[in-house]
Amino acid sequence: EIADLLSSDPWLLTDRTLRFFALTVKGYLDGEIDTVAARRDWTEVQILANELNVPKWKYRAQAEIGFADFYDGDLGSCQRNVGAALIEATNADDVGAEIFFTSAFANGFQMRRMPAKAIEYANQAIALASSNPDAGYPQLAYASLLLSMTQIGKVSEAKQLCERLLQQPIGSLAKANLFFVASQISQAEHNTLRAVSYLQQAIDYE
């Protein structure tokens, strides 16, 4: 629906600020389902951010293009784009972006089965979030940390940390994500029944 509006609605075709906003929304949605479309969205966001002089969205768009690089298998371009965006976010004191980009690095390294690097970046993101409580709960960083701990054999430690986190007052989506991670930890323990139980709780929270 947003794609149709962007290509036909007179306001979205002429009002650059409104188009910019719609493209950021579409970019996040496409990032979940369509890498090619997401790259187009964020490339145009980057152009509009430059025209509208919105500096933080220049590097935020660059990072999103880097995430598209990752899913396309171009790890070099991913590291360059997200790394450059992280530097810009740090210089701009954009803490929210810093936490997100650092968490994304952790997630990427965890997915590539490079747990030591993933743990390093996850801990950086968690420390940033702890120093800036208004930034919210660093869901992606904790998931990457727990799964990376499991990868290197620290299953018991990961389980204990996960159980402590499940006792915290966090949002339902974050809780559902933690239950999913807990299920994976239980699988590493070869405890299928507990893994299924955690998955059911994740579904209930979603």
Side-chain angles (χ1 to χ4, degrees):
E1 185 178 354
I2 296 174
D4 289 342
L5 289 169
L6 282 164
S7 63
S8 61
D9 184 271
W11 285 104
L12 285 169
L13 288 169
T14 56
D15 187 323
R16 291 186 301 166
T17 302
L18 185 60
R19 184 175 184 82
F20 168 81
F21 172 76
L23 280 165
T24 61
V25 174
K26 183 172 182 292
Y28 285 124
L29 292 172
D30 282 333
E32 300 292 330
I33 55 176
D34 188 341
T35 303
V36 174
R39 187 185 297 279
R40 285 198 302 267
D41 299 336
W42 291 111
T43 298
E44 187 173 351
V45 167
Q46 205 171 32
I47 293 169
L48 286 171
N50 188 58
E51 292 176 357
L52 296 169
N53 193 28
V54 191
K56 73 176 182 180
W57 280 102
K58 296 180 191 177
Y59 57 77
R60 288 185 176 188
Q62 183 178 8
E64 295 294 336
I65 292 169
F67 300 149
D69 292 331
F70 177 85
Y71 289 113
D72 286 342
D74 189 345
L75 299 184
S77 291
C78 170
Q79 288 186 313
R80 285 191 295 274
N81 278 317
V82 181
L86 177 56
I87 291 170
E88 290 292 327
T90 303
N91 291 338
D93 198 25
D94 185 351
V95 176
E98 285 183 74
I99 293 170
F100 180 57
F101 300 159
T102 308
S103 299
F105 265 127
N107 184 56
F109 282 122
Q110 184 271 316
M111 291 174 67
R112 298 292 297 179
R113 301 196 70 82
M114 300 171 67
K117 294 294 291 183
I119 290 170
E120 176 187 343
Y121 279 99
N123 282 328
Q124 288 181 27
I126 291 165
L128 268 173
S130 297
S131 300
N132 298 273
D134 289 344
Y137 172 78
Q139 173 181 319
L140 183 59
Y142 271 122
S144 301
L145 175 63
L146 292 166
L147 293 174
S148 297
M149 290 171 68
T150 303
Q151 285 179 355
I152 62 174
K154 293 187 175 182
V155 180
S156 178
E157 293 93 328
K159 178 182 175 181
Q160 291 174 23
L161 174 58
C162 190
E163 289 175 348
R164 288 201 302 273
L165 292 171
L166 283 169
Q167 301 305 313
Q168 294 184 2
I170 56 178
S172 58
L173 182 60
K175 184 83 77 166
N177 181 259
L178 264 180
F179 277 126
F180 177 71
V181 172
S183 173
Q184 292 178 283
I185 295 171
S186 294
Q187 289 181 59
E189 292 183 305
H190 307 292
N191 191 331
T192 304
L193 288 177
R194 183 179 292 165
V196 171
S197 174
Y198 278 132
L199 282 177
Q200 185 58 59
Q201 291 179 82
I203 292 168
D204 292 342
Y205 264 90
E206 289 183 339

